[in-house]
């Protein structure tokens, strides 16, 4: 079953953790000095916040899948959306090892589709040279295709 992903850039992480913990009636499932994430079942959402010095507000949205079959299904949908898709493959991002692709909607909001394979001790991978336009934790593609999320793995 797929899960909606929301990533919000925040100014004060501790204050935001208190607020969202009360709102969700749950403590974060992941907490780092600059990041927190709630994996909620009701509503089924991966809600993450990051205090990484970027513009406050919704950073990006996404669809998290549970297996390769769902990932291929969602990738096929991206290709039907009539917009450039940045396929990253396996990356380390947001304290997780994932396989992902990115697309921007008509308003310019970045959407990621991803399958998480495990946890990471770092926010972004060491191979990150600069943020790709439209990609978390990637090197810049030859032809930038998608608008970059503001704070993901910068």
């Amino acid at each position: 079953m797929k899960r909606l992903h929301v990533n919000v850039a925040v100014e004060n992480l501790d204050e935001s953790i208190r607020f969202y913990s009360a709102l969700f009636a749950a403590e974060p499932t992941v907490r780092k000095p600059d990041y927190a994430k709630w994996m909620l079942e009701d509503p089924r959402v991966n809600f993450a916040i990051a205090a990484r010095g970027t513009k406050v507000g919704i950073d990006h949205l996404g669809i998290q899948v549970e297996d390769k079959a769902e990932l291929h299904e969602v990738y096929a949908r991206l290709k039907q959306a009539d917009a450039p898709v940045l396929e990253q493959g396996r990356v380390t991002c947001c304290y997780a090892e994932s396989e992902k692709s990115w697309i921007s909607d008509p308003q310019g909001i970045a959407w990621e589709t991803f399958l998480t394979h495990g946890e990471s001790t770092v926010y972004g991978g060491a191979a990150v040279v600069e943020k790709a336009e439209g990609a978390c934790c990637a090197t810049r593609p030859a032809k930038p295709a998608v608008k970059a999320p503001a704070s993901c793995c910068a």
Side-chain angles (χ1 to χ4, degrees), residues 49-127:
I49 59 176
R52 300 190 53 84
T54 59
K55 183 179 175 189
V56 174
I58 292 179
D59 186 65
H60 65 275
L61 301 171
I63 298 172
Q64 182 177 11
V65 300
E66 291 184 350
D67 58 42
K68 282 273 198 189
E70 286 184 341
L71 188 64
H72 292 301
E73 173 192 332
V74 175
Y75 279 4
R77 289 187 207 161
L78 291 182
K79 291 177 180 175
Q80 293 175 1
D82 196 30
V85 176
L86 178 64
E87 295 184 27
Q88 280 188 282
R90 286 189 81 125
V91 295
T92 299
C93 186
C94 302
Y95 297 102
E97 300 290 335
S98 301
E99 184 176 339
K100 59 178 69 184
S101 288
W102 291 87
I103 195 168
S104 288
D105 72 10
Q107 290 67 238
I109 297 170
W111 279 81
E112 68 176 321
T113 60
F114 63 102
L115 171 63
T116 299
H117 299 287
E119 296 180 12
S120 172
T121 58
V122 296
Y123 191 82

